[in-house]
Amino acid sequence: MKAIALTRYLPIDDPQSLIDVELPRPEAAGHDLLVRVEAVSVNPVDTKVRAPKSQVEAQPKVLGYDAAGVVEAVGDQVTRFAPGDAVYYAGDITRPGSNAEFQLVDERLAGGKPGSLEFADAAALPLTALTAWELLFERMPYAFDSGGEGKTLLVIAGAGGVGSIAIQLARLAGFTVVATASRKETIDWCRKLGAHHVIDHRQPLAEQIGKLGFDHVDAAINLADTDRYWEPLGELVAPQGHVGLIVEPESALKIGDPYKAKCIGIHWEMMFARALFRTPDMGEQGRILDRVGGLVDAGKLRGTRSETLGPITAANLREAHRRLESGSTIGKLVLAGW
């Protein structure tokens, strides 16, 4: 089968950083689906795993943590899907990724592809939808069904992949949503997705929140830079409020005041945790994706694909990584077809 892989961890401008290869087609067993991959999208985790280091892989390593495709074969313990079913998923960071014509994925981590979406649009959703859903409605103490009523949520980096979904889910849950963005196109994107207010993350946050008429926010999710916004959020979040985080800090965080004095809850989200530790509830990811798919098909949640860069090739994937590393992308970048 065709695949895009690496053996050395190189800067993305190096043509050898991601290369076209031929690999054996895997076989499904147990709970695995063998999926014929139709489309993939890229996420910051792809670039972080690929980041330059001295390590060399003995065998080609395939990345990719978002895909949509068709079930080709199933293992003997599979109960949720059958050959011919269209699925979408983010997968398992410990296994070969989706940048290949065929991929094995545990059925418990997959959802039925939304029927209203093409494969390219479906591939843009899984990782970001799971991250946003788990952070808001499982790590933080809010229910999807009206759990945000009467509350204000600040979404830092609203135009990114996770932010694009989080804005919509929070709005559906009843929050008043304040997103951050700094360019006209990102501001327009956040508003289009349903943010009630958009403020500039390059300017002091508290002053802008005050001008909107809020003394504080009830909760915040920092999807960009944990260190940079740590102190501002400690001041801005209400007593007994909540802060959600997905980016590891570069330095030790000061956990004391005002977080301690205000009893602010701190919640970490790592989308791969369930698969990584084989938790008893790992099937919850498939159920979340099924529910997200239902919201999409009902017209309540819109896709976040901003551009399809072409077929799934090393050259196109390097371009997607390069754009992500530039920090200027909006929504999700997708590759479709072989």
Side-chain angles (χ1 to χ4, degrees):
M1 66 177 183
K2 296 178 182 178
I4 294 90
L6 61 80
T7 55
R8 294 182 294 157
Y9 295 83
L10 301 167
I12 198 58
D13 291 333
D14 190 315
Q16 296 299 305
S17 59
L18 292 167
I19 56 176
D20 294 300
V21 297
E22 289 280 338
L23 296 175
R25 174 173 156 172
E27 296 185 2
H31 284 285
D32 280 339
L33 311 174
L34 177 66
V35 178
R36 184 175 73 248
V37 175
E38 299 289 345
V40 301
S41 68
V42 293
N43 295 281
V45 63
D46 297 71
T47 67
K48 291 177 181 178
V49 173
R50 198 219 76 250
K53 54 180 173 282
S54 59
Q55 180 179 344
V56 177
E57 297 291 342
Q59 299 296 326
K61 181 180 179 67
V62 178
L63 308 182
Y65 310 106
D66 260 337
V70 177
V71 176
E72 187 82 3
V74 300
D76 58 3
Q77 296 181 50
V78 169
T79 60
R80 298 186 62 229
F81 298 103
D85 289 344
V87 295
Y88 74 142
Y89 54 88
D92 179 346
I93 200 169
T94 68
R95 305 183 72 181
S98 58
N99 298 329
E101 282 188 286
F102 294 93
Q103 181 189 13
L104 294 176
V105 63
D106 191 301
E107 65 166 335
R108 291 166 288 189
L109 303 177
K113 181 184 77 69
S116 60
L117 295 185
E118 300 294 332
F119 285 103
D121 288 299
L125 287 174
L127 187 146
T128 54
L130 287 167
T131 299
W133 187 289
E134 289 183 351
L135 183 57
L136 286 169
F137 308 129
E138 294 189 342
R139 315 303 174 215
M140 299 170 80
Y142 303 112
F144 174 71
D145 299 305
S146 303
E149 293 290 344
K151 299 179 178 66
T152 303
L153 175 73
L154 175 63
V155 179
I156 293 177
V162 178
S164 297
I165 294 293
I167 288 171
Q168 299 182 77
L169 291 177
R171 179 78 185 246
L172 289 171
F175 284 97
T176 296
V177 180
V178 182
T180 75
S182 60
R183 294 175 284 141
K184 181 182 185 305
E185 57 267 35
T186 55
I187 292 169
D188 291 345
W189 177 269
C190 290
R191 287 178 174 155
K192 187 184 302 183
L193 293 175
H196 295 86
H197 309 282
V198 183
I199 62 176
D200 188 345
H201 48 244
R202 297 176 302 184
Q203 305 299 324
L205 300 180
E207 180 180 341
Q208 296 178 84
I209 291 291
K211 288 181 179 179
L212 295 176
F214 303 112
D215 295 327
H216 55 251
V217 295
D218 297 289
I221 54 175
N222 182 355
L223 309 174
D225 187 331
T226 298
D227 297 83
R228 177 181 175 183
Y229 297 105
W230 182 254
E231 291 187 8
L233 291 183
E235 298 294 339
L236 191 55
V237 172
Q240 302 185 88
H242 298 272
V243 171
L245 304 167
I246 67 170
V247 180
E248 59 275 17
E250 294 185 4
S251 59
L253 300 175
K254 182 181 177 183
I255 305 296
D257 289 341
Y259 284 86
K260 179 181 177 181
K262 294 165 76 174
C263 291
I264 294 174
I266 302 165
H267 309 270
W268 285 102
E269 162 61 9
M270 168 67 166
M271 192 230 74
F272 294 114
R274 281 175 158 136
L276 180 62
F277 295 101
R278 312 300 293 177
T279 61
D281 67 344
M282 62 184 287
E284 186 63 22
Q285 290 206 332
R287 289 187 285 272
I288 292 170
L289 288 175
D290 284 342
R291 189 162 187 185
V292 167
L295 292 171
V296 170
D297 287 340
K300 295 180 179 180
L301 192 67
R302 58 173 291 175
T304 58
R305 175 178 64 90
S306 58
E307 186 176 355
T308 300
L309 298 181
I312 306 169
T313 65
N316 287 337
L317 199 57
R318 288 195 300 270
E319 173 62 12
H321 278 233
R322 186 193 66 77
R323 292 200 199 180
L324 268 187
E325 289 180 347
S326 75
S328 61
T329 56
I330 301 174
K332 294 294 295 290
L333 299 175
V334 172
L335 288 76
W338 294 91

